[in-house]
Amino acid sequence: QVQLVESGGGLVQAGGSLRLSCAASGRTFSSYAMGWFRQAPGKEREFVASINRSGGSTYYADSVKGRFTISRDNAKNTVDLQMNSLKPEDTAVYYCARGRYYSDYRSLSAGPYDYWGQGTQVTVSS
């Protein structure tokens, strides 16, 4: 059983910043692309950002491009999401996900991901 645990969520004012972190179990973390998704109440889950196995390439939803940065530390089995210039519409539960073995990180859908964390709440006030 693969375990993904998100942390770092909270309440921030619009324009502020948060850094989310996802800790993954296992010894083969570097074999998998990783992604962040979010889901607001009454809304569908949407793609936020992803990163390839080595961490050398990233992919972002247009809604967060230029504001969010995804990164990973394969030595620590962690993937982070730095969120700057936060907007009220960023309010959602944020989920960390692991890509399927050798899946393409460059996808807007949840299909390439096989394990998910429980999520962490991010609330941005106006």
Side-chain angles (χ1 to χ4, degrees):
Q1 179 84 334
V2 175
Q3 300 288 333
L4 303 175
V5 181
E6 303 96 334
S7 62
L11 174 64
V12 297
Q13 191 172 343
S17 298
L18 280 175
R19 188 176 184 91
L20 306 183
S21 184
C22 173
S25 64
R27 298 178 180 271
T28 58
F29 180 73
S30 63
S31 296
Y32 302 92
M34 299 293 295
W36 285 96
F37 290 75
R38 67 187 183 187
Q39 187 167 25
K43 301 291 186 179
E44 297 179 352
R45 183 176 297 182
E46 66 172 342
F47 171 81
V48 176
S50 60
I51 189 165
N52 73 341
R53 290 169 291 154
S54 69
S57 297
T58 57
Y59 186 54
Y60 298 94
D62 287 342
S63 59
V64 306
K65 193 173 300 181
R67 299 188 298 121
F68 291 10
T69 302
I70 188 172
S71 61
R72 69 190 298 161
D73 187 338
N74 287 343
K76 297 181 178 180
N77 280 21
T78 58
V79 57
D80 290 358
L81 184 69
Q82 178 66 47
M83 305 185 295
N84 298 326
S85 301
L86 284 163
K87 306 173 181 179
E89 51 263 44
D90 294 320
T91 296
V93 176
Y94 283 70
Y95 297 92
C96 173
R98 191 193 79 171
R100 301 179 189 276
Y101 195 67
Y102 274 85
S103 65
D104 186 3
Y105 76 97
R106 194 175 174 88
S107 175
L108 294 173
S109 76
Y113 300 89
D114 57 358
Y115 288 95
W116 299 79
Q118 291 297 114
T120 185
Q121 177 71 49
V122 172
T123 303
V124 184
S125 63
S126 60

